[in-house]
């Protein structure tokens, strides 16, 4: 009952007893994975698992004949062996081992006795190398502890890229020491719009991550084999930065951090001083994020202000460009060159194709498949993330009972049917240019951690299977495994959306609901997870 589905899962005769005398042993390169696994299992057995020999041993090892993220998990009466092509593969094997335990084991509470694991052989490896999730902390800020919690949930589903959307019109969320007003001013807005076009709520909102916070997030993710890819938007989605430093914009009048949603008109100017400003920003960002990939946005940049700007029009003439579209491409190329000189690769949304693509850029294709197909055939790497298939801010049902009935309906079945390879690229040599895919949790209308749970799960579980498992789909089999997986999510406190629709308090984000409703839901969770040996 593993999610995402392994390549091979074979049930064998016998069982392994996990108790406080069990040991976890590993070679030095796997010491961190072993430490993590002991931390997960020790509370469940009611004692610290030892690194040396015991009554039964979980052995972690490396194999040269496996790819880095592949693993082989064998559970037998005399022990458990997890072998991987690299530490990441062993970590994923350990995650699968956890899913062989009863759901209550995920609570990290002592069972008061031994646990029985079925004897199995699992051989597994991911279909794609880029298995990501976009977490938008710019629109609604998510405190550090909640980001760490989300990283653990990603790791449980064998996702390996956290695309952290750190800046936008509505907020700047990362400390830049050279430019303190980015967070002193840009991290705070006076109120927020309710719904997509609703009234203002009258409540100040804000927050940001210190550089030490970012280091902790990046290190925490790395220990779970997740790369954190930062996104610093330009030239559009920059009103928060312009509010902090007006000289970055095109207007003489000051701006506030934006309080409404949608595509704004305020964009960066194209002066050398503005380019230098953001290169200085990236100097600090690159120190914080070792990721080989850095996203600069490039999406939804309205050109109205450039058309009205004498300075922008002069720039177009000086550079011999055709129009404002080519001006944006010129700007993106400047940052592509900057990042390439520092050994990094630029990622941009598919709008960077308009006006000519920067040579080394990776395209995140969100507006259907057209951008992915044209970029891949032109020899560029691609990440597919079409909004109609993997944007999880979109509603999950047709009923008005959805907390915020926004966007087209995107059901669990729709997500499970998604294929990261666009149809036009199948059996095309350019198919190899698809690095993988990522789902999106855009937070304009997700204003609490509980609402994030509701929008993300169980759709994240379905998405994880599309990027990890072989392309063949079996919805009935997935539903069967999901039935076993949901109690695991419940055991770690994830308030996912039930298939039957939202529970009474889930129809209004952030409202706890009636005590009797929550008591009924807790009773259901307890019934699922009460027998830890089952």
């Amino acid at each position: 009952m593993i999610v995402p589905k392994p390549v091979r899962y074979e049930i064998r005769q016998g069982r392994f007893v996990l108790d406080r005398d069990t040991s976890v042993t590993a070679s030095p390169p796997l010491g961190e994975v072993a430490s993590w696994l002991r931390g997960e299992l020790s509370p469940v057995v009611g004692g610290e698992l030892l690194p040396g020999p015991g009554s039964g041993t979980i052995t972690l090892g490396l194999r040269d004949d496996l790819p880095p993220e592949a693993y082989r998990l064998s559970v037998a009466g005399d022990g458990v062996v997890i072998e991987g092509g690299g530490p990441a593969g062993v970590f994923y094997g350990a995650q699968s081992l956890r899913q062989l335990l009863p759901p209550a084991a995920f609570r990290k509470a002592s069972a008061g006795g031994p646990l029985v694991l079925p004897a199995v052989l699992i051989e597994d490896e991911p279909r794609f190398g880029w298995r990501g999730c976009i977490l938008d902390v710019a629109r609604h800020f998510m405190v550090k502890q909640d980001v760490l919690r989300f990283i653990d949930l990603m790791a449980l589903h064998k996702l390996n890229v956290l695309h952290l959307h750190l800046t936008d019109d509505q907020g700047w969320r990362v400390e830049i020491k050279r430019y303190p007003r980015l967070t002193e001013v840009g991290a705070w807005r006076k109120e927020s719009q309710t719904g997509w076009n609703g009234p203002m709520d009258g409540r100040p909102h804000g927050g940001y991550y210190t550089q030490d916070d970012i280091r902790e997030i990046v290190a925490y993710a790395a220990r779970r084999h997740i790369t954190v890819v930062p996104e610093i938007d330009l030239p559009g989605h920059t009103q928060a930065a312009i509010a902090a430093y007006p000289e970055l914009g095109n207007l003489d009048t000051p701006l506030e951090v934006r309080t409404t949603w949608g595509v704004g008109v305020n964009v960066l100017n194209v002066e050398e001083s503005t380019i230098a400003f953001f290169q200085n920003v990236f100097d600090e960002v690159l120190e914080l994020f070792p990721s080989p990939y850095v996203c600069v946005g490039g999406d939804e940049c309205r050109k109205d202000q450039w058309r009205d700007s004498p300075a922008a029009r002069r720039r177009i003439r000086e550079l011999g460009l055709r129009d404002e579209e080519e001006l944006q491409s010129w700007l993106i190329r400047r940052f592509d060159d900057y990042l390439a000189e520092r050994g990094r690769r630029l990622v941009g949304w598919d709008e960077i194709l308009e006006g000519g693509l920067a040579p080394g850029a990776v395209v995140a294709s969100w507006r259907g498949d057209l951008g992915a197909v044209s970029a891949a055939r032109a020899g560029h790497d691609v990440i597919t993330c079409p909004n109609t298939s993997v944007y999880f801010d979109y509603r999950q049902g047709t009923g008005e009972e959805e907390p915020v009935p926004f966007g087209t309906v995107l059901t669990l079945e729709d997500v499970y049917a998604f294929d990261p390879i666009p149809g036009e690229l199948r059996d095309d040599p350019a198919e190899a240019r698809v690095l993988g895919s990522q789902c999106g949790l855009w937070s304009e209308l997700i204003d609490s951690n509980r609402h994030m749970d509701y929008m993300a799960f169980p759709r994240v579980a379905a998405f994880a299977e599309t990027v990890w498992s072989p392309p063949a789909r079996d919805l009935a089999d997935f539903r069967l495994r999901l039935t076993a997986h949901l109690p695991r999510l419940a055991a770690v406190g994830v308030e996912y959306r039930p298939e039957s629709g939202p529970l009474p308090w889930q129809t209004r984000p952030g409202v706890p609901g009636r005590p009797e409703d929550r008591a009924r839901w807790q009773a259901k969770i307890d019934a699922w997870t009460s027998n830890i040996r089952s």
Side-chain angles (χ1 to χ4, degrees), residues 200-370:
M200 308 308 293
D201 64 6
R203 294 181 298 168
H205 178 83
Y208 66 92
Y209 306 107
T210 67
Q211 294 198 355
D212 283 344
D213 288 336
I214 293 294
R215 292 186 184 96
E216 182 179 347
I217 289 169
V218 169
Y220 191 90
R223 288 194 292 271
R224 288 146 183 82
H225 300 278
I226 291 173
T227 299
V228 184
V229 175
E231 179 171 350
I232 306 294
D233 268 299
L234 58 87
H237 290 288
T238 48
Q239 186 167 323
I242 297 169
Y245 292 92
E247 64 270 23
L248 300 174
N250 296 278
L251 305 177
D252 295 328
T253 55
L255 297 171
E256 294 183 338
V257 177
R258 193 173 181 202
T259 58
T260 56
W261 316 125
V263 180
V265 299
N266 293 297
V267 302
L268 299 177
N269 63 47
V270 288
E271 299 299 317
E272 285 297 323
S273 58
T274 296
I275 294 171
F277 180 102
F278 273 86
Q279 287 178 343
N280 291 334
V281 167
F282 279 111
D283 283 346
E284 296 192 30
V285 168
L286 297 187
E287 287 293 321
L288 298 171
F289 295 91
S291 163
Y293 300 92
V294 176
C295 185
V296 303
D299 60 310
E300 297 180 325
C301 177
R302 291 190 42 182
K303 312 299 192 298
D304 311 62
Q305 291 182 348
W306 287 355
R307 293 187 186 98
D308 295 337
S309 165
R313 293 199 304 272
R314 183 177 64 252
R315 192 70 141 156
I316 290 172
R317 291 193 301 271
E318 290 172 352
L319 296 168
L321 303 176
R322 184 180 65 239
D323 55 20
E324 291 78 15
E325 301 295 344
E326 288 195 353
L327 182 62
Q328 176 171 330
S329 289
W330 170 83
L331 183 65
I332 296 296
R333 284 193 187 97
R334 290 287 299 270
F335 285 93
D336 185 60
D337 292 343
Y338 164 88
L339 291 170
E341 289 170 0
R342 290 154 180 80
R344 309 296 182 96
R345 294 192 67 189
L346 180 146
V347 178
W349 299 101
D350 57 47
E351 285 93 334
I352 66 173
L353 290 164
E354 300 163 2
L357 187 60
V362 178
V363 174
S365 180
W366 72 279
R367 299 178 299 175
D369 292 338
L370 183 60

